[in-house]
Amino acid sequence: MEGDAGAESEPLLPPRSRPAGAARGLRRAGGGTRSAGAPEDATGADNDLYINQAVVFIEDAIKYRSINHRVDSKSLWLYRWYYSRICQWILGLTITVILTLAFIETPSSLTVTSDIRYRLPAWDPPCGLTESIELLCFLVFMIDVSVKSYLIGWEEFRKTKWLMAYILTLIVSLADWIVSLSFFCTENVRIRRILRPFFLLQNSSMMKKTLKSINSTLPEMASVVLLLAVHLSLFTMFAMLLFARTKDGQQDKEWVGYFRNLPDSLTSLLVLLTTANNPDVMIPAYSKNRAYSVFFILFTVLGNLFLMNLLTAIIYNQFRGYLLKSVQSSLFRRRLGIRAAFEVLSPLKETPANAQELYVSVGDLFHVLQKVEMDSRCKQAIMRSLKTCSCDQLSAAQFQKLFEELDKDAIKQHPASPEYQSRFMRKMQFAFGHPYFGYLGNVVALANIVSICVVLVMDADKQPSERDDFFLGAINCFFILYYLLEMLLKILAMGLKRYLSYPSNRFDGLLTGILLVLEIATFAAYGFPHPGWRPELMGLLSLWDMVRLVNMLIVFRFLRIIPNMKFMALVVTTLLDLVKNLRAFAGILVVVFYAFAITGIILFKGAVVPMGNISIVNTTSVNGTLQCGTYEQLEYWPNNFDDFAAAVVTLWDVMVVNNWQVFLEAFSRYSSPWAKIYFVAWWLISSVIWVNLFVALLLENFIHKWDRRCHREPLSDIEYQRTVELMFRDVLEEPTEEELMERLHQHPHLHLCTDFSCAQYPCSCYLY
């Protein structure tokens, strides 16, 4: 199964040679031995079985799935049904639904604001409503794990830790669900909520590989984190000695504010490590003596500039290596699936008894390709290669090379421009299809932006009743008409299909259409622009709202210049590739956010209360004035853990680490001093580990793009799209024949015979 069954502990097995001339045949579970030398024994049902096996193995190779599953007819049908789009869509929808329940179930996030001062009572679903949806989701997951377990067989099931954890999670969740109904949904702690992200995690092979890579990187990260802890501890001791309490209370501001005791001292320097409280933490001592600044500067230089950046470098180096191994493992799975397809197809080709090599019929491969679900571009390329092939049979090497089309860049070639017979039309096509016409459009868009800025600056201090929208409305009308004319002329020059094949043109055309509709709606409601154009509100939006909306879209449209600036285009395509290809990182971030948010709700729900209900112990006011920089003075009331949505936003604010010491101090006062452990753990996982991992992958993607830019000039009519696997394609090692055959021999349901019982149908090894 994808990502779990037969997962490799190492990307490649050590090579294990086979003697030349060793006999080999195919033995399948529930069937006899078949060989290339006895095609006369094959029945029509057998041939269909071999074709279906090859289809499934090729689809496994395309999706980087393990081939260690049952291969009989019924299991193959069930396997393809399980991995069909509808089944995977249902499974994905189920995971989305069960994760989304956190926004609806008690405590519900269905309120306009999360500010505890203004928030109205949230709607709480009746007991049994969300629980019924949960039960339906659990039933889908039970079917999912049952199908997976059956398809891989008992032997493989015992080796698959992810499936065992899947079953255990379902058992615990169902038990907790029963407990909830027993208490009529009044219990405060629901363990199954924390376990929900596991369903998302186990369903993605790339997320599991990424998690495995992170786990393998932890020892190296732990060494730097330990060094950071030593650095923090030593400077904490120095600080407590340096800023100890004295007899003069006026000189003890540093001690009172930051170094009163060990927990406060550790917290102050930990926050300084992130520079969130710099220079506040230094000012009281610095005001007393400028020499104290040396202590804080030295701590920041060693901790933030050296150790934190060293951690980033180690994460980049180690994680890249482990991710490379993971991608190497994916390549091995692809090659293994293709080779398995060759092995099951080879008995269909009649081979002489003294043949030194097995072959696959081109006709059989055509039959297989017609059934395989794969990208149309790859299928057409493979079909073309087969049609141009002069032979009627393929060796193992030729078969494998044929499917290397799967490893190539996805190339999108734009349609050709229309050919006009008229000389005038050809001149029009040349003029309006020339890049300079696009540059002119960029200059006009820039002029539009400048004019909007000038008007906004002039009207910044005016009251709405004093503002005259005539000038802004008139220039918007002029520029929108130009954008419409530009779009039509480009379509004339390029043709509609070619025009729409460029993402920048689609973006441009969509915004131009929206702007045109808004402008027509404005004219219909308020008439054409004229001096004193300030009508009252009519309908949903006022004139000023309509003009502002149009101007915002015009500003957004200015992004069209990005493809014309090569370096900026490189940066943007790097970001887009990250969005498309690094979904595994986003998924892991969702898992961590979800688990910490639910944990935060359990720990801190209702802890923060409005000022009128705060006990005297929790007040931060001095003589009726709120202390500067506190949770209350900064009015951070919307940041709390009273519902799931508010908890997610609060965790995001802490991850950014700007003013995160405010949350440390506030929740320590409102709940318990031990609350700091929760926030420090979140900072370590999110800001230190995950953000550094994201930086590492961002660097890898950008460096890869830059290298390709230096070695290949981009072609105007061709777009290259790359995946994570293709990012590392140039440094991956191809598996050898011995490694592939060794792994095929270990297949639990499809066996290659190497004993003397198959010697009557000799087939030699591939010799290199």
Side-chain angles (χ1 to χ4, degrees):
M1 303 302 291
E2 180 181 358
D4 33 80
E8 295 83 12
S9 57
E10 293 293 336
L12 294 179
L13 289 174
R16 179 177 171 182
S17 60
R18 288 192 296 120
R24 182 178 70 222
L26 287 175
R27 184 173 67 242
R28 295 167 178 80
T33 301
R34 292 261 314 134
S35 76
E40 64 275 10
D41 297 331
T43 63
D46 290 334
N47 291 345
D48 291 340
L49 175 61
Y50 304 151
I51 293 291
N52 291 333
Q53 287 174 343
V55 168
V56 170
F57 286 147
I58 291 174
E59 290 177 348
D60 287 341
I62 294 170
K63 299 295 185 181
Y64 300 104
R65 294 195 294 253
S66 171
I67 65 170
N68 292 350
H69 51 78
R70 299 178 187 270
V71 291
D72 58 277
S73 299
K74 293 182 179 179
S75 298
L76 290 176
W77 177 87
L78 180 61
Y79 186 86
R80 295 197 75 192
W81 173 82
Y82 175 79
Y83 280 110
S84 63
R85 290 183 180 179
I86 183 64
C87 286
Q88 292 302 304
W89 182 84
I90 291 174
L91 184 58
L93 178 64
T94 304
I95 294 172
T96 303
V97 168
I98 199 168
L99 292 177
T100 309
L101 285 178
F103 293 98
I104 302 173
E105 58 193 1
T106 306
S108 172
S109 302
L110 302 180
T111 55
V112 176
T113 178
S114 61
D115 193 319
I116 58 176
R117 298 170 298 176
Y118 315 122
R119 183 181 58 205
L120 298 175
W123 173 77
D124 287 330
C127 181
L129 178 61
T130 57
E131 285 74 18
S132 300
I133 299 175
E134 267 189 304
L135 182 60
L136 291 176
C137 294
F138 290 151
L139 291 176
V140 173
F141 293 143
M142 290 169 64
I143 295 173
D144 177 50
V145 72
S146 301
V147 172
K148 284 183 176 179
S149 303
Y150 167 77
L151 288 175
I152 66 174
W154 172 248
E155 291 298 325
E156 289 297 312
F157 172 77
R158 291 190 303 172
K159 302 175 186 176
T160 310
K161 296 179 180 179
W162 280 103
L163 277 181
M164 301 290 284
Y166 195 179
I167 293 176
L168 181 61
T169 302
L170 277 175
I171 292 174
V172 173
S173 299
L174 284 170
D176 189 64
W177 181 85
I178 294 173
V179 170
S180 292
L181 290 184
S182 301
F183 284 91
F184 299 100
C185 311
T186 57
E187 82 287 3
N188 294 323
V189 178
R190 300 183 182 182
I191 301 174
R192 65 184 185 277
R193 291 183 179 178
I194 303 178
L195 299 178
R196 285 174 186 169
F198 179 84
F199 300 123
L200 173 65
L201 190 62
Q202 66 83 31
N203 193 52
S204 169
S205 61
M206 196 61 197
M207 283 179 63
K208 286 184 278 190
K209 288 179 181 179
T210 305
L211 191 64
K212 184 179 178 182
S213 300
I214 294 174
N215 185 53
S216 302
T217 312
L218 286 178
E220 287 77 13
M221 287 192 290
S223 61
V224 181
V225 172
L226 182 61
L227 190 58
L228 276 171
V230 172
H231 168 75
L232 182 64
S233 301
L234 289 178
F235 272 84
T236 298
M237 298 303 297
F238 289 147
M240 293 184 69
L241 293 171
L242 194 61
F243 306 114
R245 189 175 188 179
T246 63
K247 295 180 179 180
D248 186 1
Q250 296 297 322
Q251 302 296 326
D252 291 339
K253 292 182 179 180
E254 190 75 39
W255 175 81
V256 171
Y258 301 101
F259 299 101
R260 179 184 291 270
N261 49 48
L262 182 61
D264 288 349
S265 302
L266 279 170
T267 302
S268 298
L269 290 183
L270 177 64
V271 174
L272 180 59
L273 193 63
T274 65
T275 69
N277 61 351
N278 185 67
D280 299 3
V281 68
M282 181 180 69
I283 293 301
Y286 185 53
S287 299
K288 181 179 178 181
N289 190 325
R290 70 175 72 237
Y292 284 124
S293 64
V294 176
F295 170 84
F296 296 99
I297 293 174
L298 187 62
F299 174 82
T300 305
V301 168
L302 291 177
N304 187 268
L305 298 184
F306 282 95
L307 292 179
M308 293 297 287
N309 289 317
L310 178 64
L311 180 64
T312 301
I314 289 177
I315 288 177
Y316 171 71
N317 184 61
Q318 296 295 328
F319 183 76
R320 182 184 186 276
Y322 286 114
L323 187 62
L324 178 61
K325 287 184 179 181
S326 178
V327 176
Q328 181 76 64
S329 174
S330 296
L331 177 68
F332 185 85
R333 286 190 174 193
R334 172 165 285 182
R335 298 292 183 262
L336 187 66
I338 299 300
R339 185 52 190 263
F342 175 85
E343 294 293 333
V344 298
L345 286 177
S346 58
L348 300 179
K349 173 67 178 175
E350 185 174 352
T351 307
N354 59 349
Q356 296 296 307
E357 193 172 7
L358 289 177
Y359 292 93
V360 166
S361 168
V362 172
D364 292 336
L365 183 54
F366 264 118
H367 190 191
V368 169
L369 288 174
Q370 290 172 355
K371 291 187 173 184
V372 171
E373 291 186 5
M374 61 189 301
D375 182 65
S376 59
R377 177 193 64 84
C378 291
K379 181 180 286 191
Q380 291 172 5
I382 295 173
M383 291 282 197
R384 283 195 301 268
S385 299
L386 282 177
K387 290 177 181 177
T388 56
C389 180
S390 58
C391 55
D392 62 347
Q393 58 185 14
L394 299 172
S395 65
Q398 293 172 325
F399 191 89
Q400 195 74 256
K401 187 174 181 60
L402 194 65
F403 282 92
E404 288 182 1
E405 189 69 33
L406 299 172
D407 304 326
K408 296 181 180 179
D409 293 351
I411 302 174
K412 179 182 179 182
Q413 194 158 1
H414 300 286
S417 300
E419 296 182 2
Y420 293 108
Q421 301 298 325
S422 170
R423 184 179 178 184
F424 173 75
M425 292 299 296
R426 288 199 299 269
K427 288 184 177 181
M428 292 267 293
Q429 185 178 37
F430 175 79
F432 299 122
H434 199 279
Y436 285 163
F437 184 66
Y439 298 153
L440 175 62
N442 292 337
V443 172
V444 173
L446 178 61
N448 194 355
I449 296 294
V450 171
S451 63
I452 291 174
C453 291
V454 170
V455 173
L456 291 178
V457 170
M458 294 173 58
D459 293 345
D461 297 328
K462 293 182 178 179
Q463 295 291 334
S465 58
E466 301 173 355
R467 188 184 299 119
D468 189 350
D469 298 325
F470 165 67
F471 181 68
L472 195 57
I475 61 174
N476 283 347
C477 180
F478 169 77
F479 282 112
I480 290 172
L481 288 176
Y482 174 83
Y483 297 150
L484 177 63
L485 179 63
E486 180 191 31
M487 181 181 70
L488 295 175
L489 290 175
K490 280 188 174 182
I491 293 175
L492 176 69
M494 303 172 66
L496 182 60
K497 290 185 178 180
R498 183 177 175 84
Y499 177 85
L500 294 176
S501 67
Y502 288 91
S504 58
N505 286 341
R506 293 197 298 269
F507 171 80
D508 201 12
L510 176 64
L511 286 184
T512 301
I514 296 174
L515 287 171
L516 184 63
V517 170
L518 284 174
E519 198 70 6
I520 293 173
T522 303
F523 293 160
Y526 302 110
F528 287 93
H530 55 272
W533 198 40
R534 292 193 306 270
E536 298 297 326
L537 174 65
M538 294 176 59
L540 182 63
L541 296 174
S542 68
L543 172 64
W544 176 238
D545 292 332
M546 298 282 281
V547 173
R548 281 194 304 165
L549 182 57
V550 168
N551 289 334
M552 284 189 286
L553 291 174
I554 289 174
V555 172
F556 190 56
R557 186 183 180 276
F558 189 65
L559 295 176
R560 57 171 277 167
I561 70 168
I562 290 176
N564 300 120
M565 304 178 68
K566 291 185 178 180
F567 188 78
M568 187 183 294
L570 177 67
V571 174
V572 172
T573 53
T574 300
L575 294 176
L576 291 178
D577 277 352
L578 284 173
V579 172
K580 290 186 292 185
N581 297 327
L582 299 185
R583 289 176 295 179
F585 280 87
I588 290 176
L589 185 63
V590 168
V591 168
V592 177
F593 255 102
Y594 200 100
F596 265 84
I598 295 297
T599 305
I601 291 173
I602 295 173
L603 295 176
F604 307 119
K605 180 180 179 295
V608 178
V609 293
M611 286 292 294
N613 299 327
I614 298 178
S615 64
I616 194 67
V617 178
N618 286 334
T619 55
T620 58
S621 60
V622 179
N623 298 326
T625 304
L626 291 173
Q627 186 176 342
C628 184
T630 60
Y631 183 92
E632 295 81 7
Q633 187 269 331
L634 294 171
E635 296 189 343
Y636 280 7
W637 302 108
N639 291 300
N640 54 66
F641 290 90
D642 289 354
D643 58 71
F644 184 77
V648 170
V649 175
T650 303
L651 290 176
W652 173 264
D653 291 338
V654 175
M655 187 180 77
V656 176
V657 301
N658 185 36
N659 269 358
W660 73 296
Q661 74 277 9
V662 176
F663 299 98
L664 283 172
E665 186 271 337
F667 284 94
S668 297
R669 280 191 290 108
Y670 282 112
S671 57
S672 166
W674 295 101
K676 293 180 179 179
I677 297 177
Y678 171 86
F679 289 98
V680 172
W682 171 246
W683 168 74
L684 278 173
I685 292 175
S686 63
S687 187
V688 175
I689 296 178
W690 190 89
V691 171
N692 279 306
L693 287 172
F694 182 78
V695 170
L697 265 294
L698 181 65
L699 286 173
E700 182 64 32
N701 204 333
F702 182 80
I703 291 171
H704 179 81
K705 286 267 186 183
W706 184 264
D707 290 341
R708 289 179 62 83
R709 178 177 178 267
C710 294
H711 289 90
R712 182 184 67 189
E713 288 296 325
L715 302 177
S716 59
D717 283 353
I718 296 179
E719 294 178 4
Y720 295 88
Q721 302 169 357
R722 297 180 70 81
T723 62
V724 174
E725 288 79 9
L726 291 177
M727 281 173 54
F728 296 95
R729 185 67 187 90
D730 297 336
V731 295
L732 296 179
E733 297 179 3
E734 286 289 337
T736 64
E737 173 77 9
E738 289 79 10
E739 291 165 342
L740 293 175
M741 297 310 300
E742 178 71 21
R743 184 57 61 84
L744 283 177
H745 282 300
Q746 297 174 0
H747 196 289
H749 306 289
L750 178 70
H751 302 284
L752 290 175
C753 299
T754 56
D755 53 23
F756 290 104
S757 64
C758 300
Q760 54 181 322
Y761 309 117
C763 306
S764 67
C765 299
Y766 298 95
L767 303 178
Y768 291 89

